[in-house]
Amino acid sequence: MSKIRILPDALASQVAAGEVVERPAAVVRELVENSLDAGARHVEVHAQRGGCALLRIVDDGSGMGREDAMLCLERHATSKIRTKEDLAAITSFGFRGEALPSIASVSRFRLATREKDSLVGTEIEVNGGKLVAVRDHGGAPGTSIEARSLFFNVPARRKFLRAENTEFAHVEQQVRLHAIANPHVAFTLTHNGTLVLHLPATQDMLERIRGLVGDELSSRLLKVEEMTIRGVTVSGYIGGPGMSRSNRQMQTTYLNGRPIESASISYGLREGYHTALMKGQHPVTFLFIQMDPHAFDVNVHPAKKEVRFHDGNGVRDAIARSVSRTLENADRLPGGHAVAARPGPRPLPLSSPALPVAPAARQEELQMQVRPSSAPLKTMPPAPAVTLEPAARQAPPPAEVPVVASAPASAPAKPAASDAPSADDFRIMGVLQKLYVLMESREGLVMMDQHAAHERVNFEKFRRALESGGVPCQRLLISITLQTTPRDADLLKQNLEALTRLGIEIEPFGPNVFKVEALPAFLKTDDPAAWLDQVIEELGSLSTKTSSLRLSEDAIATTACRASVKSNDVLSVPELHALLKDLLACEMPYCCPHGRPTLVQISTAELERKFGRRAPG
Ligand code: ADP
Ligand code: MG
């Protein structure tokens, strides 16, 4: 007797449901997507007890006739694709025709729908996959779908449901995701009868984002001007340098309106932010990518959350470039005009790490003009601790143009740094804990992290040196022999070019052994071997897919900068002033190369509030 059996339809739907609807939020995703596909202008989502007891999604979309209303509960019944060619170029959210039968098979399900011009609509009740009733329905045009007691007939699934608040948080996240991409659609979300989100329709994307994240955060977002690179069009809003989150909740990315997660996109973001993002932190993004639907495949993930790009590198590159360009242009006012020269320093946001980026010459200009370098700092002595025989030597010239520099030249060139705060706008009052420089500005109290500031200044010096031919290195009297693991040996071999350009002269010296002959000139470390370990670790933390030459260089440079300054260096006021001046001349003065803030401001208004001289608010 054969052992293989065809599953009865109801059971097959339950199996499919396991993949499509793993929790209430997935039901919401599918139903909201159906409403959007149906052209709805208003979408209401009502949840009871995290969505486990009830989910009701009401829309004013096209509605369905009786025949379609019956058909849509069959598996693989869809109005959205017909042919293989349609599948290769999907423009709707749905296409598999499995959501409704899946949801109906694991809940007490009710569908009520009416087309705009029919007199009477249809109401259908399904209980755990079994059709219970079909009636006439006299409600408003559009569709209302209810799923009660989710997984009531699948105890194994029910066990995996989390606390109601957790489930509801996921439901809310789904609604937010779609609300951001569809500002022209009004959304309402209630939980246990309480209004949670009420978002009127608007033509303005930023207005919608503000409705979801609040004034404070949205006012600090930078607009990504739409640009198309290799068929990939990128636009949206992103957080400035230093604005980040410890999880990916605010890293939202869309492909042709569909919220998606993709490694290529994440790599592109990381590359675009490079040193403007703290390690382990994730950027805040509302980024929209438009592409020919033939150029990717959405049919690779049961929940359609992931896509496969035919040219993942192209996508990564487009994102990296548009993000880095946006960060570089970040000194512009929201209107897009450069700020006129002003007497005082630019107001910095209240005690916030996400300070605006000061103007800087564009990379292209940077490569041509030599910047006036200010007096050398005491913390960077001419002879590093590790060298005994200083010998100026130049690394080979650049082999690859950095990503940023290759951005289209159509980008408006920046005016001179007329609006940048100048070091003279700050009065240095003292240093706290040998680290925090306290300064008075017109706006209030400004604190500079001396160490972080140094790192930023050195990092940019380092990079300028790189761009003009290479970083001077110091030959070691006694070379260092490095014994590495095979994995680290691979990493070093892959990055030999970047290492040499950065003044680290290193060569293979037998299996998994390397000889180091020279190190960057400004390095300040007593333990070069330990420092090299850090470099290897930093290189290892880059994913192989992201390791463009520029990223490897940045990884090495950030490690080098950490070792270029020592904490607890006591600087004189003129030295601090010079440091501040150097910092403000940086391209990205408001965070260190690891993304930590360099300057923090407490405004006079905030001080007044703290001392009760001003009403809070
Ligand atoms: P898919 O979205 O993949 O086509 P679904 O099971 O989600 O599959 O829906 C099946 C079909 O039911 C859709 O193709 C659409 O024709 C119809 N439908 C579902 N929800 C709605 C709705 N809210 N308004 C109008 N039609 C809908
Ligand atoms: Mg669908």
Side-chain angles (χ1 to χ4, degrees):
M1 204 177 85
S2 74
K3 293 181 199 142
I4 297 179
R5 222 149 290 191
I6 305 282
L7 291 180
D9 236 30
L11 196 53
S13 290
Q14 276 189 20
V15 172
E19 294 197 338
V20 183
V21 291
E22 73 275 26
R23 63 186 341 166
V27 175
V28 171
R29 176 191 64 229
E30 293 295 334
L31 298 183
V32 168
E33 289 186 353
N34 280 346
S35 298
L36 293 171
D37 278 345
R41 292 282 142 168
H42 289 87
V43 177
E44 285 173 29
V45 178
H46 303 280
Q48 297 276 356
R49 305 185 49 196
C52 309
L54 166 79
L55 284 169
R56 181 190 301 125
I57 284 79
V58 185
D59 71 46
D60 62 351
S62 63
M64 287 177 266
R66 171 114 355 148
E67 202 182 327
D68 280 348
M70 297 297 294
L71 251 178
C72 76
L73 295 167
E74 300 287 337
R75 285 209 305 139
H76 308 305
T78 178
S79 57
K80 298 170 195 173
I81 60 169
R82 279 165 203 280
T83 64
K84 216 168 85 193
E85 285 68 48
D86 291 344
L87 186 60
I90 291 163
T91 52
S92 55
F93 287 110
F95 55 86
R96 292 190 190 130
E98 52 183 20
L100 293 185
S102 296
I103 297 165
S105 73
V106 294
S107 68
R108 302 183 202 282
F109 181 94
R110 183 179 154 275
L111 159 75
T113 186
R114 200 186 115 197
E115 286 175 307
K116 285 199 173 62
D117 38 15
S118 15
L119 287 176
V120 66
T122 303
E123 183 180 332
I124 300 177
E125 256 181 68
V126 180
N127 220 335
K130 283 193 217 70
L131 185 69
V132 178
V134 181
R135 325 184 176 90
D136 282 353
H137 158 76
T143 302
S144 159
I145 292 181
E146 234 175 64
R148 286 181 186 273
S149 319
L150 193 65
F151 302 135
F152 77 97
N153 54 345
V154 201
R157 278 262 138 207
R158 210 167 51 226
K159 271 211 308 248
F160 284 103
L161 291 176
R162 297 301 167 91
E164 284 168 19
N165 283 343
T166 310
E167 292 301 340
F168 182 72
H170 287 279
V171 166
E172 186 179 343
Q173 174 71 359
Q174 275 307 322
V175 177
R176 286 171 167 265
L177 277 177
H178 282 295
I180 289 164
N182 297 280
H184 58 287
V185 178
F187 283 86
T188 305
L189 171 67
T190 69
H191 191 209
N192 299 333
T194 309
L195 189 65
V196 177
L197 289 176
H198 178 65
L199 302 163
T202 167
Q203 294 310 315
D204 179 3
M205 170 79 64
L206 191 57
E207 172 78 34
R208 172 56 56 92
I209 295 174
R210 187 179 304 127
L212 284 163
V213 304
D215 290 347
E216 209 269 330
L217 198 150
S218 64
S219 69
R220 298 189 318 186
L221 292 172
L222 310 174
K223 184 167 202 272
V224 179
E225 295 299 342
E226 185 175 303
M227 70 190 259
T228 305
I229 302 168
R230 287 208 257 167
V232 184
T233 303
V234 184
S235 64
Y237 292 88
I238 61 172
M243 191 198 273
S244 63
R245 291 288 182 277
S246 56
N247 61 36
R248 284 226 177 108
Q249 278 228 335
M250 285 260 190
Q251 182 184 315
T252 50
T253 51
Y254 298 84
L255 177 60
N256 294 357
R258 182 192 302 280
I260 55 150
E261 290 162 19
S262 138
S264 301
I265 295 178
S266 291
Y267 293 145
L269 288 174
R270 203 139 272 286
E271 190 166 334
Y273 271 94
H274 59 285
T275 65
L277 201 63
M278 244 186 266
K279 208 170 172 181
Q281 293 283 93
H282 303 278
V284 174
T285 67
F286 305 94
L287 206 65
F288 296 87
I289 302 155
Q290 298 288 335
M291 283 174 78
D292 180 345
H294 289 95
F296 58 89
D297 187 1
V298 280
N299 198 16
V300 292
H301 186 275
K304 294 168 278 181
K305 266 201 298 210
E306 284 167 23
V307 299
R308 189 174 297 141
F309 293 108
H310 299 332
D311 177 17
N313 285 343
V315 172
R316 186 191 89 190
D317 190 44
I319 289 173
R321 285 211 236 166
S322 52
V323 166
S324 59
R325 192 164 84 168
T326 305
L327 296 176
E328 276 163 39
N329 287 334
D331 58 301
R332 284 164 178 266
L333 283 178
H337 303 290
V339 193
R342 292 187 309 124
R346 192 197 339 224
L348 311 174
L350 290 185
S351 48
S352 139
L355 301 168
V357 178
R362 290 186 46 75
Q363 289 276 333
E364 286 94 320
E365 293 158 28
L366 260 178
Q367 291 185 315
M368 285 176 268
Q369 95 203 10
V370 182
R371 284 201 196 189
S373 66
S374 38
L377 296 164
K378 189 182 167 190
T379 50
M380 299 204 312
V386 289
T387 51
L388 296 170
E389 181 207 282
R393 203 188 54 85
Q394 295 273 302
E400 185 190 292
V401 182
V403 174
V404 180
S406 57
S410 65
K414 286 176 173 217
S418 56
D419 61 317
S422 131
D424 297 330
D425 297 328
F426 298 86
R427 190 175 67 80
I428 296 171
M429 297 183 295
V431 182
L432 194 69
Q433 292 176 346
K434 295 187 190 163
L435 180 60
Y436 304 108
V437 185
L438 306 181
M439 301 179 291
E440 184 185 357
S441 79
R442 265 175 206 234
E443 322 289 330
L445 174 68
V446 175
M447 290 160 283
M448 173 170 72
D449 180 324
Q450 185 185 313
H451 196 273
H454 254 141
E455 286 193 32
R456 167 54 67 185
V457 169
N458 286 354
F459 175 74
E460 295 202 3
K461 273 190 190 160
F462 204 7
R463 218 159 57 186
R464 275 198 302 278
L466 249 180
E467 276 156 12
S468 57
V471 175
C473 67
Q474 304 273 350
R475 193 156 278 283
L476 300 170
L477 244 204
I478 305 160
S479 61
I480 303 168
T481 311
L482 265 190
Q483 179 80 47
T484 68
T485 63
R487 179 181 166 271
D488 290 352
D490 278 350
L491 272 174
L492 286 174
K493 279 185 202 145
Q494 278 161 24
N495 289 289
L496 278 181
E497 187 188 341
L499 289 163
T500 318
R501 270 162 53 72
L502 286 155
I504 304 171
E505 199 178 286
I506 183 168
E507 54 189 43
F509 192 63
N512 306 331
V513 181
F514 291 82
K515 210 158 83 184
V516 184
E517 301 278 6
L519 288 174
F522 66 77
L523 200 68
K524 233 189 149 189
T525 174
D526 308 324
D527 188 350
W531 180 75
L532 282 164
D533 276 347
Q534 284 175 26
V535 171
I536 295 172
E537 194 188 312
E538 194 77 22
L539 286 173
S541 71
L542 295 175
S543 148
T544 46
K545 292 200 187 151
T546 52
S547 50
S548 65
L549 182 59
R550 180 187 170 85
L551 270 189
S552 316
E553 286 174 357
D554 280 354
I556 301 164
T558 49
T559 328
C561 291
R562 207 179 286 151
S564 69
V565 277
K566 289 210 164 125
S567 38
N568 304 333
D569 273 330
V570 179
L571 301 185
S572 65
V573 169
E575 284 167 334
L576 289 171
H577 192 80
L579 172 61
L580 178 66
K581 206 169 149 199
D582 284 354
L583 178 67
L584 294 174
C586 282
E587 270 180 75
M588 236 186 243
Y590 298 112
C591 65
C592 81
H594 309 95
R596 284 191 301 272
T598 52
L599 289 167
V600 164
Q601 170 175 286
I602 300 179
S603 69
T604 311
E606 181 161 345
L607 286 172
E608 284 172 349
R609 271 195 295 274
K610 283 195 197 303
F611 286 105
R613 291 180 181 274
R614 187 190 262 236

